[in-house]
Amino acid sequence: MPSKQISAGGIVYRREAGQLQIQLITDRYGKISYAKGKQENGETIEQTALREIKEETGILGRIVEPIDIIAYTYHHPQHGDIQKEVHYYLVESEGGMLIPQTEEIRSVAWYEPAVAWERQCNAGYDNNDFILEKALKLLGVQV
């Protein structure tokens, strides 16, 4: 039976001068993605999401609501098949300084919703399309 691994993260947004902005990261492979990471012992999934966002991007956030879960299985050379669940939340930025954790990601930036959607479609992981689409809908943006 495959091992199970839980990760969590979020689509982080803010309103800057009345304009909605979406946070995107460029991961270590050069793909567009969202801050996320593995759950640590004793953490709730929500705590994992907020900790990973803070560690990877420097932003403090507040969970607004769950978006969805991506589930898949991958093969690890030493541990065999791993069932992975990634829990995504809609997270409002509450401060902090945008600083990428360069050990984990290449960069992080804020984008207008239409630009964020275009970058996701052109340079993101296919299984993340519906995560951003759902987040934007929750924020009242149609793509």
Side-chain angles (χ1 to χ4, degrees):
M1 180 168 203
S3 300
K4 188 168 188 179
Q5 184 183 90
I6 304 289
S7 289
I11 303 291
V12 182
Y13 72 95
R14 71 177 184 178
R15 296 196 189 276
E16 189 72 13
Q19 296 298 312
L20 179 64
Q21 295 181 327
I22 306 296
Q23 182 189 87
L24 298 178
I25 68 166
T26 303
D27 70 13
R28 67 181 94 178
Y29 307 107
K31 299 282 276 184
I32 295 300
S33 194
Y34 320 109
K36 66 182 176 310
K38 295 177 192 163
Q39 186 177 29
E40 294 181 355
N41 289 336
E43 279 185 327
T44 66
I45 296 172
E46 293 86 356
Q47 288 169 331
T48 299
L50 294 176
R51 175 184 53 77
E52 286 291 339
I53 289 165
K54 172 75 170 87
E55 287 177 1
E56 290 188 3
T57 73
I59 297 299
L60 300 167
R62 174 185 68 83
I63 290 177
V64 176
E65 63 185 289
I67 298 172
D68 213 325
I69 300 168
I70 294 175
Y72 58 93
T73 301
Y74 72 94
H75 186 78
H76 187 280
Q78 283 118 2
H79 304 293
D81 287 343
I82 308 287
Q83 288 181 343
K84 183 158 185 167
E85 281 185 4
V86 184
H87 297 247
Y88 283 104
Y89 296 90
L90 185 62
V91 176
E92 183 176 16
S93 170
E94 292 193 327
M97 297 216 15
L98 203 61
I99 302 170
Q101 181 186 29
T102 53
E103 301 84 14
E104 296 284 330
I105 66 173
R106 290 187 186 178
S107 65
V108 59
W110 297 104
Y111 297 93
E112 299 299 318
V115 175
W117 177 247
E118 181 182 341
R119 289 181 62 84
Q120 167 59 43
C121 290
N122 292 330
Y125 296 98
D126 291 343
N127 65 350
N128 279 343
D129 287 356
F130 83 100
I131 296 293
L132 183 56
E133 183 178 12
K134 280 182 137 177
L136 291 172
K137 283 183 181 174
L138 291 170
L139 292 165
V141 176
Q142 296 300 316
V143 293

